[in-house]
């Protein structure tokens, strides 16, 4: 067995789509698992779309995910002459032939066939030209395309995911290899470049499956070894349709901007169409590399579930050092506070926020919305919670708390807790009977981190003011 060489061959489109990133990741994991090589090929023959920026976006997305490549990337557009040579060699060895048919004739024949409700395939008119005819046309300077002479028989391959796929060759048209303008088609470029890059395994999206028999015939006609194929299932949106812009963010860099961590994205993408065979979900890079293999790729489409991605992100956030969490929260919070003309917290307070929310954030983007309670007194109180938590005796309880808190000399977590516990005891109440109305008064809602930690961060003045505001409101 030759050493594994896999590739990622994106066509620059202006973004690195999660589907592309997942393809890159699977190839990369396979290379690292087998101690093989992972190479890049930029399929940039469409010059309009392949701007330097569009190429850079691919590099940036891969680098963000820590997917590194082992050799200098190959730019497909720079291999034009090799692609032409590949077609010339096929002409030379009789696997291809010149087609002088006028494009208009072909279009008309195709339309006529469609009208009759039939599929069109090229009737091989030019396959039957003899040497002298061909020479005469060449001498007369007639333009021609080059077509692949599809041999008889059946083309089979054993896909690592889909199993055995057989295609009768009669279903494959003598497709064009070289256009009349002298440019080779994509199918030629991809086979020539995969052979040139020594690719042994082609792991790519299922949408390429129908290209594979044609490519295999090209490998065979060119005397090249056929790689192993693995066509991975498409990524679907929640409606089970192919994931697209309609479903929201699809580019990995958008997720980065939204505060998703690279580690979480990578871990999540790895589980889209692959599983380690046990119930592990949060897996380190080393674990992923050790477990990844082609035999655990799934056949069925993988639904991209943002909630799951955010859950995964939360798992990773909770393992980060506090200062890193704060570094990630800060830009989002700064933006939100600046928009509202609220002064920014100092770094020490920031670290306290990070500590308090370390296990409560699913993405950094949601941090401002969660943290806003520390910067603004509640302007309204969540209605459902009001109905549920503010009862007849709540004003009395809040007033008692207010009094006790005013007298409290040391404003720290344990003192606050003791205070509340002893008041609850005195009133003969469960402590939650005091905590819920208090939380509502302080935060305007039903959910927050531990109330004593919140109170420490809010500070004494703020807590007393908010209780006062709430009492006014309850009236
Ligand atoms: N350039 C193709 C794409 O971006 C990939 C071709 C392949 O993987 O064979 O879809």
């Amino acid at each position: 067995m030759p050493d594994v060489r896999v590739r990622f061959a994106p066509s620059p489109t202006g973004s690195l789509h999660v589907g592309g990133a997942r393809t890159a990741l699977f190839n990369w994991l396979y290379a690292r698992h087998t101690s093989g090589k992972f190479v890049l090929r930029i399929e940039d023959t469409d010059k309009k779309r392949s701007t330097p920026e569009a190429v850079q976006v691919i590099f940036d997305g891969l680098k963000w995910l820590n997917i590194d490549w082992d050799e200098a990337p190959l730019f497909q557009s720079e291999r034009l002459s090799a692609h032409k040579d590949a077609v010339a060699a096929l002409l030379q060895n009789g696997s291809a032939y010149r087609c002088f048919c006028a494009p208009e004739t072909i279009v008309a024949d195709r339309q006529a066939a469609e009208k009759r409700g039939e599929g069109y395939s090229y009737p091989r008119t030019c396959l039957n030209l003899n040497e002298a005819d061909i020479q005469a046309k060449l001498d007369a300077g007639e333009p021609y395309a080059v077509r692949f002479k599809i041999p008889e028989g059946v083309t089979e391959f054993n896909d690592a995911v889909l199993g055995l796929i057989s295609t009768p060759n009669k279903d494959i048209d003598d497709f064009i290899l070289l256009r009349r303008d002298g440019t080779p088609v994509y199918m030629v470029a991809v086979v020539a470049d995969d052979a040139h890059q020594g690719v042994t395994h082609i792991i790519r999206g299922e949408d390429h499956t129908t290209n594979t028999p044609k490519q295999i015939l090209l490998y065979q006609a060119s005397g090249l070894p056929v790689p192993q194929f693995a066509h991975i299932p498409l990524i679907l949106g929640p409606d089970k349709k192919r994931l697209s812009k309609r479903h929201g963010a699809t580019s990995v860099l958008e997720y980065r901007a939204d505060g998703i961590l690279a580690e979480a994205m990578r871990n999540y993408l790895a589980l889209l169409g692959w599983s380690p065979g046990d119930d592990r979900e949060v897996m380190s890079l080393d674990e992923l590399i050790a477990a990844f293999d082609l035999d655990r790729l799934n056949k069925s489409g993988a639904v991209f579930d943002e909630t799951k991605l955010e859950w995964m992100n939360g798992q990773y956030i909770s393992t980060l050092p506090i200062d890193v969490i704060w570094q990630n929260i800060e830009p989002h919070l700064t933006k939100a506070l600046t928009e509202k003309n609220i002064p920014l917290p100092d770094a020490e307070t920031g670290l306290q926020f990070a500590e308090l929310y370390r296990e409560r954030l699913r993405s950094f983007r949601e941090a401002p919305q969660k943290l806003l309670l520390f910067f603004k007194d509640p302007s309204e109180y969540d209605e459902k919670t009001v109905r549920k938590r503010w009862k007849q005796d709540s004003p009395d309880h809040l007033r008692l708390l207010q009094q006790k808190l005013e007298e409290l000399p040391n404003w720290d977590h344990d003192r606050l807790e003791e205070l509340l516990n002893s008041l609850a005891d005195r009133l003969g109440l469960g402590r939650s009977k005091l905590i819920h109305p208090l939380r509502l008064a302080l935060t305007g809602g039903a959910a927050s981190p531990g109330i004593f930690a919140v109170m420490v961060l809010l500070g004494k003045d703020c807590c007393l003011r908010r209780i006062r505001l709430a009492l006014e409101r309850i009236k």
Side-chain angles (χ1 to χ4, degrees):
M1 262 289 269
D3 286 346
V4 165
R5 285 180 63 88
V6 287
R7 49 67 159 183
F8 177 48
S11 315
T13 59
S15 86
L16 179 61
H17 187 272
V18 289
R22 195 257 325 235
T23 299
L25 178 63
F26 281 13
N27 279 286
W28 182 86
L29 284 172
Y30 191 56
R32 296 296 170 257
H33 177 78
T34 55
S35 307
K37 294 269 187 268
F38 171 74
V39 299
L40 261 192
R41 179 168 73 244
I42 304 298
E43 301 209 315
D44 58 345
T45 48
D46 177 350
K47 277 289 158 205
K48 270 202 265 4
R49 302 183 87 182
S50 305
T51 60
E53 295 75 31
V55 174
Q56 192 58 42
V57 163
I58 295 171
F59 292 156
D60 290 348
L62 294 177
K63 279 186 195 149
W64 178 56
L65 291 169
N66 243 314
I67 297 177
D68 56 347
W69 45 97
D70 293 318
E71 293 167 8
L74 183 77
F75 287 83
Q76 189 157 65
S77 61
E78 289 172 8
R79 297 225 337 123
L80 184 62
S81 71
H83 304 152
K84 287 183 179 170
D85 289 349
V87 177
L90 290 169
L91 258 182
Q92 187 72 37
N93 76 11
S95 304
Y97 58 96
R98 293 182 180 84
C99 173
F100 296 91
C101 292
E104 305 79 56
T105 315
I106 292 181
V107 170
D109 287 354
R110 183 187 301 272
Q111 283 171 349
E114 277 164 10
K115 241 192 210 143
R116 292 192 304 271
E118 292 166 12
Y120 171 83
S121 62
Y122 177 66
R124 295 193 148 176
T125 321
C126 292
L127 182 60
N128 303 319
L129 294 177
N130 62 36
E131 282 301 322
D133 292 337
I134 295 173
Q135 199 51 54
K137 286 176 185 291
L138 287 178
D139 291 344
E142 273 192 44
Y144 62 87
V146 174
R147 285 184 183 273
F148 193 21
K149 181 179 160 191
I150 301 293
E152 286 183 1
V154 175
T155 301
E156 286 194 336
F157 66 103
N158 207 346
D159 190 276
V161 182
L162 304 170
L164 185 70
I165 296 193
S166 299
T167 311
N169 291 359
K170 65 175 173 38
D171 294 348
I172 306 174
D173 198 15
D174 281 1
F175 64 91
I176 287 178
L177 301 174
L178 192 78
R179 301 181 191 90
R180 276 158 77 98
D181 65 5
T183 56
V185 299
Y186 170 69
M187 212 64 87
V188 169
V190 79
V191 169
D193 291 350
D194 277 330
H196 175 71
Q197 291 188 287
V199 171
T200 57
H201 295 69
I202 294 184
I203 306 168
R204 63 183 175 192
E206 203 179 71
D207 47 333
H208 289 287
T209 315
T210 50
N211 292 334
T212 306
K214 293 181 182 173
Q215 292 174 2
I216 289 176
L217 287 170
L218 277 174
Y219 279 105
Q220 290 168 342
S222 312
L224 296 167
V226 179
Q228 169 72 52
F229 288 90
H231 288 96
I232 52 183
L234 296 182
I235 299 183
L236 310 174
D239 57 359
K240 304 277 161 70
K241 303 241 167 68
R242 188 177 180 167
L243 187 72
S244 73
K245 283 251 172 280
R246 260 183 319 116
H247 297 105
T250 53
S251 110
V252 292
L253 293 177
E254 278 176 82
Y255 284 100
R256 177 176 69 177
D258 281 352
I260 298 291
L261 294 166
E263 294 78 5
M265 190 75 197
R266 195 173 54 205
N267 192 158
Y268 181 68
L269 288 177
L271 300 176
L272 278 182
W274 173 81
S275 87
D278 49 39
D279 54 9
R280 276 180 297 170
E281 290 192 304
V282 179
M283 295 175 74
S284 71
L285 196 51
D286 286 344
E287 287 175 306
L288 286 173
I289 291 172
F292 190 86
D293 214 340
L294 301 184
D295 55 4
R296 303 217 69 91
L297 292 169
N298 299 334
K299 270 199 188 60
S300 51
V303 175
F304 192 87
D305 177 353
E306 245 175 65
T307 316
K308 186 78 190 273
L309 169 63
E310 290 188 343
W311 170 81
M312 181 75 79
N313 201 46
Q315 300 293 308
Y316 278 89
I317 290 176
S318 68
T319 65
L320 291 178
I322 297 300
D323 55 332
V324 177
I325 297 182
W326 173 235
Q327 276 163 26
N328 279 284
I329 291 177
E330 199 179 7
H332 295 277
L333 185 63
T334 301
K335 184 163 173 275
L337 295 181
T338 311
E339 275 166 16
K340 293 184 162 50
N341 265 322
I342 299 175
L344 308 177
D346 57 29
E348 201 186 314
T349 314
L351 291 177
Q352 286 172 305
F353 288 147
E355 175 83 62
L356 194 55
Y357 280 87
R358 143 188 241 158
E359 290 184 0
R360 292 170 184 271
L361 288 178
R362 288 162 306 160
S363 88
F364 294 115
R365 187 184 48 167
E366 66 174 6
Q369 169 232 327
K370 296 212 172 209
L371 289 173
L372 210 56
L373 79 95
F374 293 98
F375 297 90
K376 249 177 103 259
D377 292 344
S379 50
E380 52 193 46
Y381 302 85
D382 177 60
E383 266 186 47
K384 220 174 100 203
T385 317
V386 168
R387 263 180 277 135
K388 191 161 165 201
R389 300 297 183 196
W390 278 348
K391 300 287 186 216
Q392 196 79 39
D393 45 9
S394 294
D396 287 343
H397 294 163
L398 282 173
R399 244 176 252 117
L400 275 172
L401 269 169
Q402 190 182 28
Q403 214 174 43
K404 294 271 165 217
L405 290 171
E406 244 160 34
E407 291 161 6
L408 189 70
N410 294 319
W411 196 262
D412 63 45
H413 183 284
D414 293 352
R415 279 329 107 75
L416 289 165
E417 185 165 14
E418 275 164 24
L419 180 152
L420 188 127
N421 286 348
S422 73
L423 184 62
D425 282 349
R426 219 183 78 200
L427 297 169
L429 296 170
R431 55 184 241 157
S432 67
K433 288 272 182 298
L434 293 181
I435 287 180
H436 291 305
L438 178 62
R439 172 176 286 122
L440 178 56
L442 296 177
T443 70
S448 78
I451 194 66
F452 307 116
V454 169
M455 291 171 82
V456 170
L457 264 170
L458 287 174
K460 185 169 183 171
D461 291 348
C462 175
C463 289
L464 292 172
R465 181 178 69 243
R466 290 189 185 182
I467 293 174
R468 204 170 56 240
L469 287 171
L471 282 168
E472 280 166 23
R473 157 67 207 265
I474 297 180
K475 265 195 294 200

